[in-house]
Amino acid sequence: MATWQKSTQGISYRFSDKTVHVQNDEVLKNWLAEPGEQALVLAAELKEAYHQTFGQALGITTDSLAVELLGHVFVDEVADKAGQFSQQLGAGLMQSFFEKLTAHTEIIDCGEKSVDSNRLVWDALTPFKGVIFAVTE
């Protein structure tokens, strides 16, 4: 797999065939927390970098990529907070579930339909991007 690169915002990413991988860390979360539709800015930059790297467009719309990035960060944040809450309650099984969930969101893998079965979900959510952006700000 390719080495990690940095976006202009300092967000770590790398590419493989038909896929962009983004580190879901504090740098990403802080950037997405900035006012405005930062996920769209990042998605556009990632698509342009992919095009420069492979000489062809990434087969994911900018809206779908932005919604997926927000979806993963939002799930990670909710799971982290819920895991902390369940720990306070002493709910070990629940805490274990949320720890496993957040472990699977450390790297956000965004692939084209031919390699990512979840692309249909993210594409279906794009008409609701305004609501998703509002909820995750």
Side-chain angles (χ1 to χ4, degrees):
M1 193 171 288
T3 59
W4 289 102
Q5 301 175 57
K6 297 276 186 185
S7 72
T8 55
Q9 302 84 18
I11 296 162
S12 297
Y13 69 92
R14 63 183 175 196
F15 300 122
S16 58
D17 186 40
K18 301 179 181 182
T19 307
V20 59
H21 312 274
V22 180
Q23 284 187 349
N24 189 359
D25 57 12
E26 290 304 311
V27 176
L28 175 64
K29 291 172 188 174
N30 290 338
W31 168 252
L32 294 177
E34 292 289 322
E37 295 179 343
Q38 303 305 336
L40 286 172
V41 173
L42 178 59
E45 181 179 341
L46 292 172
K47 288 182 62 172
E48 177 59 31
Y50 183 93
H51 187 267
Q52 289 178 4
T53 301
F54 289 98
Q56 62 187 26
L58 179 65
I60 304 172
T61 67
T62 303
D63 286 349
S64 182
L65 183 54
V67 167
E68 182 171 6
L69 292 168
L70 286 173
H72 281 284
V73 169
F74 183 68
V75 166
D76 186 51
E77 291 290 311
V78 169
D80 187 46
K81 286 180 174 59
Q84 292 172 9
F85 180 70
S86 65
Q87 182 179 22
Q88 292 172 355
L89 294 177
L93 182 60
M94 194 177 194
Q95 180 184 356
S96 175
F97 167 77
F98 287 115
E99 286 173 359
K100 288 178 184 173
L101 183 61
T102 55
H104 292 288
T105 60
E106 291 174 358
I107 305 296
I108 304 170
D109 299 314
C110 308
E112 296 179 6
K113 289 177 188 173
S114 63
V115 297
D116 186 350
S117 61
N118 292 324
R119 178 61 34 221
L120 294 172
V121 173
W122 302 115
D123 287 350
L125 290 172
T126 59
F128 307 102
K129 73 177 185 178
V131 173
I132 293 167
F133 291 168
V135 169
T136 58
E137 277 190 357

